[in-house]
Amino acid sequence: MVYLEADSVITNFVKDKTQLKGARNLGQYVQILQREHRFFSISNSLLINLDQRLRYDHSEKVDKMSNGKFC
């Protein structure tokens, strides 16, 4: 997974150009993934995989991810 994004009461799992939907809210995944894997919550609605992070643009305050998306 490149990142997880909250969408109301469900969570979108984003990898490359595909998206899967999870039945739980993002908060439940945050507890699991931050503790056991290299994920970092950058906002209340985004959880990024630090292994998929290419760079951080300080002037724009965004992370560029391996799938080309900016978070």
Side-chain angles (χ1 to χ4, degrees):
M1 288 299 122
V2 177
Y3 62 90
L4 285 74
E5 182 176 35
D7 184 11
S8 187
V9 295
I10 63 172
T11 301
N12 294 319
F13 290 80
V14 180
K15 180 179 181 186
D16 299 325
K17 295 181 179 170
T18 59
Q19 250 188 37
L20 300 171
K21 296 201 181 278
R24 298 179 181 184
N25 67 39
L26 182 63
Q28 292 175 327
Y29 295 112
V30 167
Q31 292 175 0
I32 297 166
L33 294 173
Q34 281 188 329
R35 181 178 52 229
E36 298 180 18
H37 301 284
R38 287 183 38 88
F39 281 80
F40 182 74
S41 181
I42 61 173
S43 72
N44 287 337
S45 62
L46 281 171
L47 181 69
I48 64 169
N49 182 342
L50 294 175
D51 294 329
Q52 299 294 316
R53 179 182 178 203
L54 297 178
R55 65 181 168 84
Y56 176 72
D57 185 337
H58 187 70
S59 63
E60 296 290 323
K61 297 183 181 172
V62 295
D63 286 294
K64 182 169 184 188
M65 304 306 289
S66 63
N67 66 348
K69 301 280 185 177
F70 290 93
C71 297

